[in-house]
Amino acid sequence: MRLDKLLNECGLATRSEASKLIRKGGVTVNGVPAKSGGDPVDPEKDAVVFCGRPVEYRKFTYILMNKPEGTVSSTDGKDGDTVISLLPPELRKIGLFPCGRLDKDTVGCLLLTNDGSLSHFLLSPKRHVDKKYFVRCEKYVSDSDLALLSGGLDIGNGEKTAKTDVMRISEKEFEITLREGMYHQIKRMVERTGNSVVFLERTSFAFLTSEPTLGRGEWRYLTPEEEERLKRYDKNTNGR
Ligand code: URA
C-alpha cells in the first residue's frame, strides 16, 4: 500500500500532510528516509517510523466518544455538527461512523469505528448488546410507570418493546437497559406513560462506560484489550 495511505489509516496525518512530512524527511521505512507519499510499503513487514515514533499499523480504528448535546450521530450533517467533526482532521477521512445512533440531544457513550463487520456484529438484534441509559423525566415517575416501561410497551407504528431492566434513581429519574434500538425508543416509551424525557444520557454500551475522565465531546482510542473483547462480545459473558 502507499505510505501516505498507511499513515492516514493509522490516524497520524491526512494524506497531504503525510506527503509533505515525507518530503521533509520526517518518515523512515526500514531505517531509510522515505521520498514520497506514493512509496510502497508492506504494513505487516516494513518498519515505518513517523516523527521518531514507530508506527503500529491498524487496519481499523475504534474510538469511544462522550457525545455532547447538539451533535448528530451520522457522518454527514448539513452544518458540520456531526460527531465526526469533533475529531481531528486526520481522523475525519478514514471512514469512521457511529455504531448505532443517538438523538441530537442525547449525550454519552458512543462507539465510532470504520470496521463495518464489527459494527454489524454488535448491532445485530441477535447479539442483544446492553445499552444503559440515565433518564430524567419532566414529571414524577410512579412505580407503575416503571413497571410499564420494564414490561414491554406498544410505542406505535406497530412497534412493541421487549421486557427490560429498569431501576429507579430518584422521583423523576431512572436507569433503563435497552437491548434493541428503535427510533427515539426511550422518548416514545416515556411518552406512553404520559410523561416526557428532559435529559437522556447513554451511560454504557456493552462493557464500555461513560468515564468521568472523558468530558463531553472528548474521545479516546479503545485499548487493544477492549477491541478484542468487543470482537468476541457475548451477552452472557460481556465479552470476557
Ligand atoms: N432512545 C431515545 O429516545 N433516544 C436516544 O438517543 C436513544 C434511545
Side-chain angles (χ1 to χ4, degrees):
M1 83 193 289
R2 288 174 61 108
L3 180 57
D4 55 0
K5 186 164 190 285
L6 175 130
L7 295 172
N8 177 242
E9 282 191 5
C10 294
L12 292 167
T14 61
R15 279 173 79 159
S16 64
E17 283 168 355
S19 287
K20 270 190 215 148
L21 212 107
I22 292 164
R23 284 197 298 274
K24 284 189 192 156
V27 181
T28 61
V29 179
N30 302 322
V32 180
K35 290 198 179 70
S36 101
D39 286 2
V41 277
D42 181 338
E44 310 294 340
K45 295 196 186 124
D46 291 326
V48 179
V49 175
F50 175 85
C51 297
R53 270 187 300 146
V55 174
E56 216 182 294
Y57 178 63
R58 299 157 155 252
K59 192 163 168 27
F60 296 117
T61 299
Y62 307 91
I63 282 175
L64 176 66
M65 179 178 277
N66 184 346
K67 179 190 174 298
E69 206 180 332
T71 49
V72 187
S73 45
S74 72
T75 46
D76 42 76
K78 285 183 255 59
D79 309 315
D81 55 357
T82 66
V83 287
I84 302 296
S85 69
L86 299 174
L87 299 171
E90 62 274 15
L91 287 179
R92 288 183 212 150
K93 292 185 185 142
I94 57 170
L96 292 170
F97 58 86
C99 180
R101 283 180 178 238
L102 292 178
D103 296 338
K104 194 168 179 176
D105 55 358
T106 302
V107 299
C109 236
L110 186 64
L111 175 68
L112 302 171
T113 184
N114 47 9
D115 183 344
S117 56
L118 179 76
S119 176
H120 191 257
F121 168 83
L122 293 172
L123 295 178
S124 151
K126 276 187 276 162
R127 198 71 44 202
H128 295 300
V129 169
D130 279 8
K131 285 148 288 203
K132 283 195 171 39
Y133 292 83
F134 168 83
V135 189
R136 182 175 299 131
C137 295
E138 190 194 356
K139 296 182 284 188
Y140 174 70
V141 183
S142 68
D143 286 345
S144 57
D145 293 337
L146 293 181
L148 280 173
L149 293 165
S150 70
L153 272 175
D154 179 345
I155 55 170
N157 294 341
E159 290 177 297
K160 188 169 186 313
T161 64
K163 284 187 182 168
T164 194
D165 306 321
V166 176
M167 191 185 76
R168 175 184 294 286
I169 294 175
S170 74
E171 290 199 338
K172 298 181 181 176
E173 297 167 340
F174 63 91
E175 181 189 79
I176 185 165
T177 307
L178 294 191
R179 300 182 183 91
E180 48 195 354
M182 297 170 198
Y183 182 64
H184 291 330
Q185 182 166 341
I186 296 174
K187 289 174 185 162
R188 287 162 68 202
M189 290 170 79
V190 169
E191 272 162 26
R192 285 284 149 159
T193 67
N195 209 335
S196 61
V197 171
V198 293
F199 177 76
L200 187 57
E201 174 174 10
R202 190 200 264 167
T203 52
S204 71
F205 177 89
F207 55 85
L208 299 167
T209 55
S210 306
E211 298 163 17
T213 49
L214 215 53
R216 295 266 187 257
E218 292 183 345
W219 59 274
R220 67 166 176 83
Y221 290 107
L222 294 197
T223 63
E225 292 73 29
E226 287 170 331
E227 285 178 21
E228 281 315 305
R229 213 172 142 190
L230 274 184
K231 285 175 193 164
R232 39 167 221 269
Y233 185 80
D234 176 279
K235 69 177 165 23
N236 298 315
T237 61
N238 211 7
R240 283 192 186 280

